[in-house]
Amino acid sequence: MKDICIVLSGEAGQGIQTVEYVLTRVLKNSGFHIFATKEYMSRVRGGNNTTEIRISSERVRAFVEKIDILIPLGKNATGRLRDRITRETLIIGEESFIKDAGGEKIEVPLLEMAERIGNKLYANSVAIGLVSGLLKADRETLKLQIRKQFEDKKEEVIKQNIDAALEGYKRGEELSGRIKVSLKRDDAVKKECLLNGAEAVGLGALAGGCNFVSSYPMSPSTSVLVFLAQNKSDFGIVVEQAEDEIAAMNMIIGAWYAGARGLVTTSGGGFALMEEALSLAGMVESPVVIHLAQRPGPATGLPTRTEQGDLNLVLYAGHGEFPRVIYAPGNIEEAFYLTYKAFNVADKYQVPVFILTDQYLVDSFYNLPPFNLDDLKVEKHMVKTGEDYIRYKLTENGISPRGVPGYGDGLVKVDSDEHDEFGHITEDFTTRVKMVEKRLKKGEELKKEVLKPKLIGDENYKVLLVAWGSPLEVIKEAISDIKEVALLHFSQVWPIDNSVAEYLKRAQKVIAIEGNATGQFANLIKAVTGFEVKERILKYSGLQFSVEELRKKIEGVV
Amino acid sequence: MKDICIVLSGEAGQGIQTVEYVLTRVLKNSGFHIFATKEYMSRVRGGNNTTEIRISSERVRAFVEKIDILIPLGKNATGRLRDRITRETLIIGEESFIKDAGGEKIEVPLLEMAERIGNKLYANSVAIGLVSGLLKADRETLKLQIRKQFEDKKEEVIKQNIDAALEGYKRGEELSGRIKVSLKRDDAVKKECLLNGAEAVGLGALAGGCNFVSSYPMSPSTSVLVFLAQNKSDFGIVVEQAEDEIAAMNMIIGAWYAGARGLVTTSGGGFALMEEALSLAGMVESPVVIHLAQRPGPATGLPTRTEQGDLNLVLYAGHGEFPRVIYAPGNIEEAFYLTYKAFNVADKYQVPVFILTDQYLVDSFYNLPPFNLDDLKVEKHMVKTGEDYIRYKLTENGISPRGVPGYGDGLVKVDSDEHDEFGHITEDFTTRVKMVEKRLKKGEELKKEVLKPKLIGDENYKVLLVAWGSPLEVIKEAISDIKEVALLHFSQVWPIDNSVAEYLKRAQKVIAIEGNATGQFANLIKAVTGFEVKERILKYSGLQFSVEELRKKIEGVV
Amino acid sequence: MDFERYISKDIAWCPGCGNFGIRLALMKALEELKFDPRMVVIVSGIGQAAKMPQYIGVNMFNGLHGRALPVATAIKVANPNLLVIAESGDGCMYGEGGNHFIHTIRRNPDIVNIVHNNMVYGLTKGQASPTSVKGFKTPVQTDGVILEPFNPLAVAIALDASFVARTFIGDIEFTKEIIKEAIRHKGYALVDILQPCVSFNKLNTYEWYKENTYYLKDHDPSDKELAFKRATERGKLPLGILYVNHNKETFEELARKGDKRPLYEYEVNFEKIKEMINQKTL
Amino acid sequence: MDFERYISKDIAWCPGCGNFGIRLALMKALEELKFDPRMVVIVSGIGQAAKMPQYIGVNMFNGLHGRALPVATAIKVANPNLLVIAESGDGCMYGEGGNHFIHTIRRNPDIVNIVHNNMVYGLTKGQASPTSVKGFKTPVQTDGVILEPFNPLAVAIALDASFVARTFIGDIEFTKEIIKEAIRHKGYALVDILQPCVSFNKLNTYEWYKENTYYLKDHDPSDKELAFKRATERGKLPLGILYVNHNKETFEELARKGDKRPLYEYEVNFEKIKEMINQKTL
Ligand SMILES: Cc1ncc(C[n+]2csc(CCOP(=O)(O)OP(=O)(O)O)c2C)c(N)n1
Ligand SMILES: Cc1ncc(C[n+]2csc(CCOP(=O)(O)OP(=O)(O)O)c2C)c(N)n1
Ligand code: SF4
Ligand code: SF4
Ligand SMILES: [Mg+2]
Ligand SMILES: [Mg+2]
């Protein structure tokens, strides 16, 4: 693949996010495929954060370690990247920002250029222009995007920022010879959209009919809450920041009881507090949709980093036994479609449904064709109650028609105690047994809707990689050139069915790739199929996998 | 085994518990082996509760379904026992109480007898006497125990109760010919003690050096809290009822931090609220001991019933990855020794240690020889800190010396964020990886202390039963006469080691016996060893297994 | 009686318990206000008090210990046409649920919050509750309670709750009237009902309450400082409406911007989603 | 300075943030009161404020968001010789930790509870906190806050907290003195410190606080009703010690019956256990 990887680096509060935002749009609208992801510290000012932007002639969707161009936006912005800087890395910027770094340095006095135009603060615009020029992006697009970015500002400020960007552009163009890769453009890309994982989850929720969100802020899940809050008026959604996670989850169950479609978004530690209420959902047979964006634990851990360490947590969350569904989207498209689907599945089976993402997925974005909404539909499984309505009617498949209060002539009685068909508390042992079996039957039913894992790569594989959730695209790229290797990727991690074993047995070697320290999914596969995935590539530093490290490790074992 | 099974039945509030308490002591001190267990509804008055007392010539420790003698203490007290009453069951009592029942009825006007002596309220004493007479228990012992029971009362009341008991005794003796079984007595039994599971856990905690308890009341775990509260002054224990379970668990972690030895006692739903704090213990590497008495879930479920449904819950509780230990005592002796041990293990490895019991175990009791305390010792692993003390020193086995504030010259800094050796927050990826590995290493170390499962029964088994926790004694009795069957019982359910597979492979057939609906332990065995225990005897009605049902089921498959 | 329809027949309370009176008062209040049972929801937690909706023929959400209020709030905002009552014991509402108590008052949904205040944990057999008086001995508080009792009225007033009342179930008629006022009131309404627990609270008996309470007279419930004074003064406990603030908008009015349609009627605007996605191409 | 020893070097707060002043005030207070750092524990939750003990050379328990108070209480009762400070942000103490706030006041351990009240969630980038003023717009509260702000002082007074004070970090000297008073006070002491968050709260700035606060003068902190009036009246926010009740025993005095020995010195009395077991044979 022909691609260029640009990294922006600076302190929290220096505006990397603005540069990232504008630059990715300029580049995409110039016809380049792009991918971007960030890593940042759990602080508001200072420290060191970076954003990686990959620009390519083909679709690009994964994190790489190599840095072709590094733009430090302040002092001490290159130290943490030491291991990723090679002799080929172009480091462009203020002399004082680049001086400590290795690589090929090109001094560009961004601050001075900005000041000349009117204000030091325009340095970020110069930088945006600089990169645009380097890649010969579309000038008009650059101007447009800068204008959009500052549209709330006075015309003079907008103009000066545009000038600054153009100054940068000029300097960039001059330097463009230093870039050895030449990228093709594709006009079709311009019509594509740029979305990050959080937005995809949010849009999926909207498409799933979500009209009630209650959550307590917690990185990295808050962005979904923010997305829905920003759009609440347009969609008539109730968005409530709860006093704690316990309230949030109980509210959502209350909301579903009254006929709303509710979502909580949280992270592992917040979810740990919701488990009693999850068990409540299991018992009262309430639908509920939970978006859990993973970060490294235990406890507070690394609040703004990524990990896949909470699979076991959600698999077994809550006391007692009741069924659940766990989706683990591998990319942005899946984040959208699975979140959408989660609402219908939750409603139909009256069970909790999880969307298990992580910081890497929610904070990454790439260009993709707009989702096709034509086949999407909010399937409401709610019924109008009759006089003789009973909430927990025993049925063949365990699913009872779900009524809501005030809709129809019946009363809707739900109970966290073991209950009879009416919903009244009972201590009758026979009823107890029937109700346990009723709830578990829904778990059996759910197996009929299981999403099969996807086999990617060489169908005649000797080595089979097994993965779930967000490493999908990284692995895909890593194995794109390796023969006899395939990836079996799970976007649904519970339930999974035994048929999986067939894939595994066909391989000479099976390797699990997971972003945790114990191989939770590999262990789950063994628990379900008895098949032991002995080799494991695990990462638990707080960072996502990179294409290079996986390629190396996989080549090492092939 | 020669034994007689007596069941007392009545409404909540009718004093069954008093009858049970006095009667079991009278019988034990007359030289009989006894076992008693109760089942009761989640209400304060009314409904129907029963207590079973088995009296035997040999040790007896398990619940049976058969009823030899039924004493209804009120109206409508026999209906729920319909299936357990046979033609041989003697039903003794007031005409109006016994009239609806099957079995062999013997009318004894308990109320009238009591009234004649002075007060209807003495009827329970008449009943106690009646049973004592039936079994020809020691009269002096009867008088003594009645006196003890009423020692706070006026002498007249005590006397009248004794008279009532003696009246009952007389009547019982007259009827004793109706009992076909004749039981031997054993003077050694008189020196044994009577303890229920809750008391054993409480005593174990005392022996383990527990000096801080914080909990929130929740059936069936509250009895341990009550036990420690009753003895707090004698032992200088801080006992605090917290505002909620979250506070309780955080308090316990705080207490250990300051050098105390803390315990929480709770049930599944309460524990679900403690999971975030459990993860905190994992991260700050705090010892903590958790007694979790299981009851049927999900949610409120059946608050006063029994189940083994929370194994998965504790196995995977808390976000992120960290080691833990789970003991599941099979009987009262184990409840004592394992709780004692839990404190030392928690302190040594600085990890959470669970005592996983259930309502059946905490509410059952039998006679047993007093525990030998001679080898018990509180192993304090705390160190006095030096000036240069660092809390999270990286060591070979992952265990860092644990200091406490105010003891020594160092500062003790613990952190729920990922931290460096000092305990300060860090985002350094290399440190992160080391700290993850440090924590997991302790999990490896813990494997060295794993309690091996016990093999009980025919060593040349063809059928191997696998069980954990409280069904131990029931299964033991059930298979005592069956050849080629053995039981592999686990009193520690995490970690378990692979060697287990050897036992399993030697069997022609393996059957898991568990008090839950999904076979959680069988699934765990598969997850650990790959061995699939296909056959399962599961119970999830809210009741414990009975000897008879297990015998039948096991014989069915042998 | 309509509200007797469709209930659990076996009432699990102890004979003589104050809960029976509360049930009566509540059912009468609903009857007299002519509520359609189908439009009433009682949300409760866990405890003896929390069993209430099992015995009244209205919609029921018998949830978790301590968690009635967030559930009730969500139901109300999801369907503002329902009468939503959150009802439970003192342990449930002020102990386990204390955080929701505070923040629900801040939210001010138009719900009625009935608390059966028996100053003890009934269902779990007699431990201290947040409102237990100092020195009250229990199997856990063996030396007697050492914590300051929680003062729900004072806290509610401090948070400017929109309606704060206390009654004693020895007077069912009065309790019924207070409940009716609470229902009629727009906004969060706290009704703390003093209720003897005949099984586990031998201290705060019917007699004790009679001797230790008085009816508020000539009290101006709009005077917050006065209300606070009444709520905190030593001596007898005031019965009646202590505090009312009529000038508060409700949570659902603000969160729904006046829209009262039940959320179950909501239809997704896929066109708008398309538009949003298209925005993301720019 | 002693308290600078053994700390995390990289202070992660924003330049200009009020947290720096609080750190200074606290360190000076400890210094002036001549505390041995080894006998001081700061327990915090999670948030910007909660990072405090990372930057002070005393014992540190940096626990979970919202849970500093139960940890602090346990430490104090397990070793009454330690000075225990529970310190965190407004979201941590009054939001997630609201239930512990209430019940810790009821318990009255002799700890100091310092709350950095910046009326916003700092660390998570600017959502409303319980003390955010109505109308305050954030990325989540897009139409502005609609909940009544939480009034910590009024609630603390309603619960008869033994020491209730508020300061503004614009005045470091005053804050230091109040902290010293809080430390000297026996029993639970709340110090709510108004603290500008320069990054996410553009409404409640240094200027805003200056204009909207006043120093209490001639105030009698033993007068509870007056304290309540001051805490709840509209207009400017009072600074100073609002309320003190000297007549309260502490949790650890009552729970430990006066025994001050650290629990780590505790030795098990196996003889007594034997005796108990023997009792069970009778
Ligand atoms: C999370 C959780 N913790 C504890 C319990 C056990 N529990 C059930 S009811 C109750 C207390 C009941 O007291 P209160 O709320 O005052 O109600 P009352 O029975 O007195 O009416 C407790 C502690 C529970 N069900 N759930
Ligand atoms: C259980 C849990 N929920 C949410 C979070 C995320 N979180 C961290 S700090 C914080 C709020 C911080 O606000 P505040 O307590 O006011 O402190 P500040 O940063 O303003 O000083 C939140 C919500 C968390 N760490 N844990
Ligand atoms: S235990 Fe107390 S509160 Fe519960 S029903 Fe009985 S008397 Fe009433
Ligand atoms: S975010 Fe606000 S509170 Fe946090 S350090 Fe920055 S200015 Fe201070
Ligand atoms: Mg109560
Ligand atoms: Mg704050």
Side-chain angles (χ1 to χ4, degrees), chain A residues 435-463:
Chain A
M435 285 294 165
V436 170
E437 288 168 358
K438 168 194 199 305
R439 290 188 288 268
L440 295 187
K441 258 187 226 160
K442 297 194 299 176
E444 291 307 307
E445 281 295 299
L446 280 165
K447 289 190 181 157
K448 298 182 190 159
E449 294 224 17
V450 168
L451 300 174
K452 300 267 173 227
K454 284 179 298 295
L455 188 76
I456 295 155
D458 193 338
E459 291 227 6
N460 299 311
Y461 54 85
K462 288 199 177 127
V463 174

Side-chain angles (χ1 to χ4, degrees), chain B residues 223-273:
Chain B
S223 40
V224 171
L225 178 63
V226 169
F227 176 88
L228 292 166
Q230 305 287 339
N231 293 293
K232 73 173 182 198
S233 301
D234 278 354
F235 287 87
I237 311 172
V238 176
V239 177
E240 179 59 4
Q241 181 179 316
E243 57 271 30
D244 55 29
E245 285 84 356
I246 301 172
M249 186 65 146
N250 277 281
M251 277 191 196
I252 291 308
I253 297 171
W256 277 97
Y257 170 76
R261 285 166 95 90
L263 169 83
V264 286
T265 173
T266 187
S267 180
F271 178 69
L273 290 165

Side-chain angles (χ1 to χ4, degrees), chain D residues 45-58:
Chain D
I46 293 296
Q48 296 286 52
K51 288 178 180 163
M52 183 64 80
Q54 307 272 352
Y55 314 136
I56 299 194
V58 297

Side-chain angles (χ1 to χ4, degrees), chain A residues 44-45, chain D residues 12-14 17-19 48 118 120 122-123 195-200:
Chain A
V44 172
R45 290 282 178 277
Chain D
W13 291 321
C14 313
C17 175
N19 284 331
Q48 296 286 52
N118 56 7
V120 75
L123 185 58
Q195 169 234 332
C197 167
V198 297
S199 290
F200 295 113

Side-chain angles (χ1 to χ4, degrees), chain B residues 202-460:
Chain B
L203 286 165
L206 291 178
C210 175
N211 52 21
F212 201 118
V213 193
S214 175
S215 288
Y216 190 81
M218 187 160 193
S219 308
S221 71
T222 315
S223 40
V224 171
L225 178 63
V226 169
F227 176 88
L228 292 166
Q230 305 287 339
N231 293 293
K232 73 173 182 198
S233 301
D234 278 354
F235 287 87
I237 311 172
V238 176
V239 177
E240 179 59 4
Q241 181 179 316
E243 57 271 30
D244 55 29
E245 285 84 356
I246 301 172
M249 186 65 146
N250 277 281
M251 277 191 196
I252 291 308
I253 297 171
W256 277 97
Y257 170 76
R261 285 166 95 90
L263 169 83
V264 286
T265 173
T266 187
S267 180
F271 178 69
L273 290 165
M274 298 180 179
E275 295 201 29
E276 195 206 7
L278 186 82
S279 181
L280 173 66
M283 190 59 150
V284 301
E285 301 196 36
S286 173
V288 35
V289 179
I290 302 123
H291 170 242
L292 193 161
Q294 296 165 100
R295 69 190 217 188
T300 310
L302 291 167
T304 60
R305 304 290 169 186
T306 202
E307 189 161 278
Q308 295 187 285
D310 290 334
L311 174 60
N312 280 338
L313 182 76
V314 298
L315 263 172
Y316 302 106
H319 54 296
E321 300 174 298
F322 55 93
R324 70 199 69 196
V325 176
I326 310 170
Y327 296 127
N331 59 24
I332 293 166
E333 285 87 344
E334 290 187 358
F336 173 78
Y337 286 109
L338 293 175
T339 307
Y340 152 75
K341 188 179 167 71
F343 283 85
N344 287 340
V345 170
D347 196 359
K348 180 167 174 195
Y349 296 93
Q350 305 168 30
V351 295
V353 180
F354 291 88
I355 321 291
L356 199 55
T357 66
D358 52 36
Q359 179 271 327
Y360 174 61
L361 183 58
V362 296
D363 285 337
S364 297
F365 56 94
Y366 52 71
N367 56 293
L368 74 173
F371 303 125
N372 182 354
L373 307 182
D374 297 345
D375 297 333
L376 306 193
K377 181 170 150 230
V378 173
E379 293 161 16
K380 288 195 190 174
H381 296 274
M382 215 174 69
V383 300
K384 187 162 187 166
T385 58
E387 277 251 10
D388 54 354
Y389 175 75
I390 56 177
R391 174 65 188 91
Y392 299 106
K393 194 176 167 60
L394 292 171
T395 62
E396 196 68 35
N397 61 7
I399 302 171
S400 321
R402 191 170 69 88
V404 305
Y407 182 54
D409 290 326
L411 296 182
V412 183
K413 294 200 146 190
V414 303
D415 197 347
S416 77
D417 298 282
E418 192 55 275
H419 42 255
D420 58 22
E421 288 184 87
F422 291 89
H424 285 138
I425 187 170
T426 183
E427 301 215 27
D428 182 72
F429 300 116
T430 318
T431 309
R432 160 72 183 174
V433 168
K434 280 190 192 145
M435 285 295 164
V436 170
E437 288 166 359
K438 169 195 198 306
R439 291 187 288 268
L440 295 188
K441 258 187 225 161
K442 297 194 298 176
E444 291 306 309
E445 281 295 299
L446 279 166
K447 289 192 181 157
K448 297 181 191 160
E449 294 224 19
V450 167
L451 300 174
K452 299 267 174 231
K454 286 179 298 297
L455 189 75
I456 295 155
D458 193 338
E459 290 228 5
N460 299 311

Side-chain angles (χ1 to χ4, degrees), chain C residues 4-21:
Chain C
E4 294 274 15
R5 181 186 150 240
Y6 203 10
I7 64 171
S8 182
K9 269 133 241 159
D10 176 25
I11 298 197
W13 291 321
C14 312
C17 175
N19 285 331
F20 290 99

Side-chain angles (χ1 to χ4, degrees), chain B residues 99-111:
Chain B
K99 68 167 189 287
D100 299 330
E104 214 182 312
K105 293 175 228 175
I106 303 176
E107 199 203 315
V108 177
L110 302 171
L111 288 168

